[in-house]
Amino acid sequence: MSGIDRNTGNFKRALPNLHRALELFQETGDREKIADVYFTMGTLYWDYSEFPRSLDYFLKAGAIYRHLNNTYGLAEVAKNRGIIYYAMRDWNESLRHYREAGKLYEKLGNRLGKSKIMHNIAMVYEYQHLLRILSDRGKELHLMFSIGKDQVRGAHTQEETINLYIYIS
């Protein structure tokens, strides 16, 4: 039920259901399901921009997936951690996790997963390049940037781009 609650934006219902599921899986000792619940909790906190908590839950899921030799679970954790670090504008950590995910997807022969990671890596470099252009020139540009969970596209004047650069730096 918590997956439905998460997908419908019902954070208050999803979280207690996930905690209850976690308790049940801990009682039965189902490590795979425990990792899956941690993964879902990481996703839920990510949806609400609670990035440090999200990273903690992904880390917990990853530790279990590693112990279980679940390469796909590890790849998904690394990908999501890369996305979160991207949202936090920590480029080095984002790239580190994306590269880890890429290696894992490659090991699995998962070409779709690998191609998505290559796209995400390119986005990091593209965003860094746009920031350099904005800070160096301050000309009016079209830029897509994140505000919370939403992406906005728009033209920005020199003053707006400088304020944007200061805000996300």
Side-chain angles (χ1 to χ4, degrees):
M1 196 63 166
S2 61
I4 294 169
D5 292 331
R6 179 189 160 262
N7 292 338
T8 59
N10 194 338
F11 181 79
K12 290 181 180 181
R13 271 189 51 186
L15 197 56
N17 288 338
L18 286 168
H19 281 289
R20 180 66 184 133
L22 185 60
E23 289 172 10
L24 293 172
F25 293 133
Q26 286 171 335
E27 288 173 13
T28 64
D30 190 336
R31 308 262 309 146
E32 186 83 28
K33 294 292 185 195
I34 293 169
D36 292 343
V37 171
Y38 283 147
F39 186 91
T40 303
M41 290 172 97
T43 305
L44 184 67
Y45 282 111
W46 166 19
D47 287 345
Y48 287 88
S49 299
E50 292 189 35
F51 299 137
R53 280 181 126 169
S54 178
L55 290 168
D56 287 342
Y57 280 108
F58 283 130
L59 192 62
K60 289 178 182 183
I64 296 171
Y65 289 142
R66 184 173 277 91
H67 178 76
L68 297 173
N69 295 315
N70 181 334
T71 305
Y72 182 76
L74 286 170
E76 289 290 295
V77 165
K79 175 192 73 176
N80 287 350
R81 288 176 60 88
I83 292 168
I84 291 168
Y85 280 112
Y86 177 86
M88 293 169 56
R89 310 303 186 239
D90 187 335
W91 313 122
N92 292 331
E93 281 299 302
S94 179
L95 288 170
R96 184 173 75 81
H97 288 285
Y98 284 151
R99 288 181 180 125
E100 178 185 344
K103 288 176 187 174
L104 293 166
Y105 285 127
E106 191 169 324
K107 179 179 176 181
L108 290 167
N110 185 328
R111 292 172 40 168
L112 178 61
K114 175 75 179 200
S115 68
K116 288 180 179 180
I117 291 301
M118 297 310 295
H119 169 78
N120 290 1
I121 289 172
M123 284 178 42
V124 172
Y125 287 115
E126 180 183 11
Y127 198 85
Q128 289 176 317
H129 178 70
L130 285 172
L131 288 177
R132 280 192 293 279
I133 290 170
L134 291 173
S135 64
D136 290 345
R137 299 187 185 126
K139 292 183 180 178
E140 188 173 310
L141 296 172
H142 289 282
L143 171 68
M144 181 175 279
F145 58 99
S146 295
I147 300 177
K149 297 182 291 182
D150 301 320
Q151 289 193 337
V152 177
R153 181 180 302 273
H156 299 280
T157 63
Q158 181 175 2
E159 182 179 319
E160 290 168 328
T161 55
I162 291 169
N163 288 337
L164 174 64
Y165 180 76
I166 291 168
Y167 172 73
I168 61 177
S169 297

